[in-house]
Amino acid sequence: MENSIRNTVLTWYANICRLLLAVVFVFSGFVKANDPTGFQYKLHDYATAFGLTAWVSESLLLAAAIGMAALEFALGIYLLLGFNRRFASGMSVLLMLFMTPLTLYLALENPVSDCGCFGDAVVLTNWQTFWKNVVLLLAAISVFCLRGRIVRWISRHSEWMVSVYMLLYICIFSYYTLKHLPVFDFRPYHIGADIRAGMEMPEGALPPLYETIFVMERDGEQKEFGIEDYPDESWTLVERKTILKRAGYEPPIHDFSLMSMQDGEDLTERVLADSSYTFLLVAYDLNKADDGYTDLVNEVYDYCRAHQYQFLALTASGEDEVEQWLDRTGGEYLFCGVDETTLKTVVRSNPGMLLLKEGVVVNKWANADIPDEYQLVASLDELPLAKVQVHSVMSKIFTCLLWFLVPLSLILMLDRIWNFSGRKNKHDYINPLKNKKVEMRKNIVAGNWKMNKTLQEGIALAKELNEALAADKPNCDVVICTPFIHLASVTPLVDSAVIGVGAENCADKVSGAYTGEVSAEMVASTGAQYVILGHSERRAYYGETVEILEEKVKLALANNLKPIFCIGAVLEEREANKQNEVVAAQLASVFSLSAEDFGKIVLAYEPVWAIGTGKTATPEQAQEIHAYIRSLVAEKYGQEVADNTSILYGGSCKPSNAKELFANPDVDGGLIGGAALKVADFKGIIDAFK
Ligand code: PEP
């Protein structure tokens, strides 16, 4: 009972953590793809803060911005749909292990004011970011450790389609926003924004108060001074620091000021108060600006002259660059000097264009979308491009979701049809929330000694194990399956309340002239209670078929022996993705039993490629096939019998991996070969249930 509650709680916890991570990653990947240039600027800030600018080019930063968006989005979708669980949870841990100390450093030293994790959509302080990352790191570690419990919403066969579509979607979206400006504009200069309103201080609000600190040095001694006690010339300035003395209200727009580069006149008010239209060409750096569309810019300028609209170009470049630009492009317009960061905020394209009327942003274009002479065919009052068309955020979200969900749903629908049409395996969908271990199902750790240990060695091993388990009671049933000749000696040596004893095989005949064989009745007469049947080594080396095993199982049951019935595919079958078919066929040996008799057997799933090789199935692989086997039992005998059947995992199970394997809801213990020959190892595996 306790086990079942623990399992349910762990499964819910794993899935809650996974959903939290998934939502955060999808959101943060999406907002980065919505504004790759913005994240590129942020990465540039990081490179400057860490003195790396000499090592990174702008194009590398842009590639990194898009790569980061795609990675986060992909991890989010993997976690949301529950596939590629090892990769997604492992990468999430690595990502958060990198981000958490980095953001702690940002919070302590403040080299970059906002981490940029959610673009401009949600701006967090550095400390908020750090604590958010601590929570995500814990969630990522939990998901990694409990990844076998993650609910999968898509079958294996369709994973690749979802991966390809998801990557295409996020890369095409990044390309689109790069070429045509962000779809969601979270900045203060979005279409419809009133720039003058954005500059206003609410009544009674106080601006933030900063203080400048001067770090000075004299005779090797360093001291800090303020502006009032600035020292005499015997001190030399080492560093100037600006610290925030009092937090205050900073209007969203606080540095929009247009200074004519011709005569230094402040044109800000003239532009913002203009009751007609003003076109602003915005190019924060003319050396980096794309001059491929300057014909369009000149067409707009000519149009403005013809219709008496203002046209100004804004840049943070110097006079020489302005002159070169005008020479190169044939431009005749006036340039204003504006702060670089402001211009990067106004429009992401370099150059880009804005249309203002009475200080309101009426429209905004990326370089390639600047309207041409075919669009500018009348005065602006008559053109739709000069009307504020703010598409509601909701309708944009809806469109983006539609572009993602409709094709994805089609893929998923095809996947379902494909799988449920019987051509593939419908049990590929694993929902551990539905798979609770029930009270009656036993957890069992069974050792298979194979052809190892002389009688004396076997007796010593059994005694040692008996003592170890007497001193530290196990939390599961323990069985040792020994060679025939050990049975009669070992059975009375061990405490039967703690350790069950079994054989590794029995004959498919009742009795008679079968030289060298040992019957089920003989095994039972030693006091043994179990028998391993169908082990892959017996199938492979002694030609045991489905029919022979069917006989053996029936004889074992007739003699009150509990069969531990082994099934599992070989490497070639697994590589051909036939493991499900193989185990289904092998189960035929026990599916002829009545439900009552079937209830007496234990199943052991052993991937043959993992037996004695040191290779283990991953917990996810084990869980998937165990759930599949249980679903076959449920189909044959009903859910109750399936819920009560213990299914053990076998194949290079060791103390180091047992806990992770047994944590899966459908893995009820292990059949242990090599590690059963040493008490310390075997006990280590048994203790996985502690
Ligand atoms: C086995 O033979 O049943 C087995 C699981 O062996 P090992 O643990 O050595 O892989």
Side-chain angles (χ1 to χ4, degrees):
M1 185 65 182
E2 243 175 56
N3 248 348
S4 129
I5 294 174
R6 185 176 153 268
N7 263 314
T8 312
V9 170
L10 282 178
T11 303
W12 276 102
Y13 173 68
N15 282 283
I16 289 168
C17 289
R18 153 273 190 116
L19 280 180
L20 172 77
L21 275 182
V23 169
V24 173
F25 281 150
V26 167
F27 179 69
S28 101
F30 184 80
V31 291
K32 285 187 182 95
N34 173 62
D35 186 8
T37 315
F39 193 55
Q40 176 196 357
Y41 293 157
K42 187 51 72 183
L43 291 178
H44 188 271
D45 291 349
Y46 278 107
T48 311
F50 292 105
L52 296 172
T53 32
W55 303 92
V56 288
S57 64
E58 293 296 323
S59 38
L60 184 72
L61 290 177
L62 180 61
I66 297 176
M68 186 70 180
L71 175 70
E72 287 187 329
F73 192 73
L75 289 182
I77 296 291
Y78 286 158
L79 289 167
L80 202 63
L81 295 180
F83 68 104
N84 285 349
R85 288 171 287 185
R86 178 187 279 263
F87 169 78
S89 56
M91 273 307 287
S92 308
V93 173
L94 289 182
L95 192 64
M96 295 323 299
L97 278 176
F98 175 73
M99 293 308 291
T100 312
L102 176 71
T103 46
L104 175 63
Y105 175 75
L106 296 190
L108 292 171
E109 296 296 323
N110 230 17
V112 176
S113 60
D114 124 61
C115 76
C117 25
F118 300 133
D120 291 298
V122 181
V123 180
L124 300 176
T125 66
N126 284 340
W127 277 113
Q128 285 169 336
T129 305
F130 168 68
W131 289 116
K132 173 209 77 177
N133 285 347
V134 170
V135 172
L136 292 184
L137 175 62
L138 292 178
I141 294 172
S142 308
V143 172
F144 181 73
C145 296
L146 300 170
R147 59 190 182 277
R149 294 171 183 272
I150 288 181
V151 180
R152 169 194 274 276
W153 293 113
I154 175 128
S155 83
R156 282 190 168 281
H157 307 285
S158 310
E159 286 175 8
W160 70 271
M161 286 192 276
V162 177
S163 293
V164 169
Y165 180 67
M166 166 191 83
L167 285 173
L168 268 179
Y169 175 86
I170 203 70
C171 291
I172 292 174
F173 184 61
S174 301
Y175 175 76
Y176 178 88
T177 54
L178 207 53
K179 195 147 171 58
H180 305 281
L181 303 183
V183 171
F184 300 92
D185 193 346
F186 298 107
R187 284 153 301 136
Y189 299 91
H190 56 84
I191 293 177
D194 182 338
I195 296 180
R196 279 184 300 181
M199 291 162 115
E200 272 166 19
M201 285 288 282
E203 218 172 296
L206 291 171
L209 188 64
Y210 294 95
E211 189 187 343
T212 308
I213 301 282
F214 303 92
V215 183
M216 313 291 283
E217 188 177 285
R218 188 174 66 183
D219 302 334
E221 182 204 357
Q222 282 200 2
K223 220 173 147 189
E224 291 189 350
F225 296 91
I227 199 107
E228 318 78 36
D229 58 345
Y230 196 80
D232 61 33
E233 279 145 25
S234 59
W235 291 83
T236 28
L237 180 67
V238 179
E239 196 191 344
R240 181 196 304 254
K241 294 193 279 192
T242 304
I243 55 162
L244 181 67
K245 278 206 83 178
R246 184 198 62 211
Y249 180 83
E250 190 145 36
I253 300 179
H254 45 267
D255 39 17
F256 187 81
S257 140
L258 315 178
M259 291 293 172
S260 161
M261 288 178 86
Q262 206 172 48
D263 52 16
E265 192 189 345
D266 185 346
L267 302 177
T268 318
E269 199 43 37
R270 204 169 94 191
V271 168
L272 295 182
D274 188 358
S275 58
S276 181
Y277 294 92
T278 303
F279 278 93
L280 296 178
L281 175 72
V282 179
Y284 75 90
D285 184 341
L286 290 172
N287 286 335
K288 293 179 187 162
D290 177 0
D291 55 12
Y293 295 88
T294 48
D295 285 350
L296 291 180
V297 175
N298 292 341
E299 276 173 29
V300 175
Y301 175 68
D302 291 342
Y303 169 81
C304 287
R305 288 193 40 175
H307 289 82
Q308 317 277 301
Y309 301 131
Q310 288 197 88
F311 184 106
L312 289 174
L314 316 183
T315 187
S317 295
E319 281 171 15
D320 288 350
E321 283 87 9
V322 168
E323 236 167 75
Q324 284 164 16
W325 171 268
L326 292 176
D327 281 352
R328 200 162 69 233
T329 63
E332 292 171 2
Y333 31 83
L334 176 68
F335 265 91
C336 290
V338 181
D339 173 65
E340 177 173 326
T341 312
T342 305
L343 293 182
K344 284 175 166 176
T345 315
V346 170
V347 65
R348 290 306 195 202
S349 174
N350 183 30
M353 195 171 271
L354 246 70
L355 177 60
L356 300 189
K357 187 179 185 191
E358 292 182 286
V360 172
V361 181
V362 171
N363 213 335
K364 204 170 178 177
W365 299 275
N367 196 11
D369 300 327
I370 293 173
D372 59 18
E373 57 185 323
Y374 301 104
Q375 290 165 280
L376 299 170
V377 287
S379 74
L380 285 175
D381 283 328
E382 297 166 46
L383 295 178
L385 64 82
K387 307 268 171 299
V388 179
Q389 283 172 358
V390 199
H391 300 287
S392 83
V393 175
M394 284 321 283
S395 80
K396 286 187 197 172
I397 292 178
F398 187 69
T399 313
C400 289
L401 272 178
L402 222 63
W403 271 102
F404 187 64
L405 291 182
V406 170
L408 189 69
S409 311
L410 275 175
I411 293 174
L412 295 184
M413 243 163 62
L414 283 176
D415 169 61
R416 296 260 156 173
I417 293 168
W418 175 256
N419 284 288
F420 284 105
S421 65
R423 277 189 279 176
K424 297 275 169 172
N425 186 353
K426 64 187 172 192
H427 303 289
D428 273 347
Y429 302 95
I430 305 300
N431 183 351
L433 290 174
K434 286 192 192 149
N435 281 323
K436 298 175 205 153
K437 283 187 185 173
V438 294
E439 202 181 347
M440 285 177 70
R441 185 152 99 218
K442 287 185 171 157
N443 290 323
I444 303 169
V445 174
N448 174 11
W449 289 6
K450 307 195 182 182
M451 200 172 76
N452 293 298
K453 305 284 175 195
T454 61
L455 179 61
Q456 292 72 24
E457 287 166 348
I459 289 174
L461 178 61
K463 272 189 183 160
E464 194 187 336
L465 180 69
N466 194 48
E467 277 160 25
L469 296 185
D472 182 16
K473 287 266 179 293
N475 261 1
C476 59
D477 284 8
V478 176
V479 179
I480 48 175
C481 296
T482 76
F484 290 128
I485 59 141
H486 296 57
L487 289 174
S489 312
V490 163
T491 313
L493 275 182
V494 297
D495 176 356
S496 61
V498 180
I499 303 177
V501 178
E504 298 167 16
N505 179 31
C506 72
D508 59 338
K509 303 286 186 290
V510 179
S511 65
Y514 300 103
T515 308
E517 285 294 287
V518 176
S519 71
E521 189 184 10
M522 292 170 177
V523 171
S525 70
T526 66
Q529 306 98 8
Y530 291 85
V531 59
I532 296 176
L533 292 174
H535 192 280
S536 62
E537 286 149 17
R538 295 217 51 92
R539 288 180 197 261
Y541 310 141
Y542 302 98
E544 294 194 351
T545 60
V546 169
E547 294 73 28
I548 293 174
L549 289 169
E550 191 175 346
E551 276 314 303
K552 292 191 176 193
V553 168
K554 284 184 179 151
L555 287 169
L557 287 169
N559 287 284
N560 291 326
L561 290 175
K562 214 171 175 33
I564 300 176
F565 187 73
C566 305
I567 50 179
V570 298
L571 186 62
E572 300 78 59
E573 290 162 340
R574 174 181 168 242
E575 279 172 351
N577 205 13
K578 290 210 166 110
Q579 63 271 37
N580 288 3
E581 286 164 45
V582 171
V583 295
Q586 290 170 337
L587 281 170
S589 305
V590 286
F591 273 5
S592 57
L593 298 175
S594 67
E596 193 193 341
D597 275 348
F598 185 85
K600 294 175 188 159
I601 73 168
V602 172
L603 294 178
Y605 165 70
E606 300 201 301
V608 180
W609 47 270
I611 295 181
T613 58
K615 291 182 195 148
T616 329
T618 63
E620 291 91 336
Q621 286 169 337
Q623 167 56 26
E624 253 183 79
I625 190 112
H626 277 230
Y628 169 63
I629 294 166
R630 197 176 304 288
S631 72
L632 291 180
V633 177
E635 251 172 39
K636 176 79 189 159
Y637 293 107
Q639 197 57 48
E640 201 184 332
V641 174
D643 283 343
N644 290 340
T645 305
S646 298
I647 307 178
L648 315 185
Y649 168 81
S652 298
C653 190
K654 322 181 251 284
S656 57
N657 59 19
K659 208 174 181 97
E660 208 182 0
L661 285 161
F662 300 169
N664 286 299
D666 285 295
V667 179
D668 308 310
L671 180 55
I672 318 299
L677 298 173
K678 279 200 188 121
V679 171
D681 289 346
F682 195 49
K683 172 98 175 22
I685 297 173
I686 294 168
D687 287 348
F689 280 113
K690 289 231 154 147

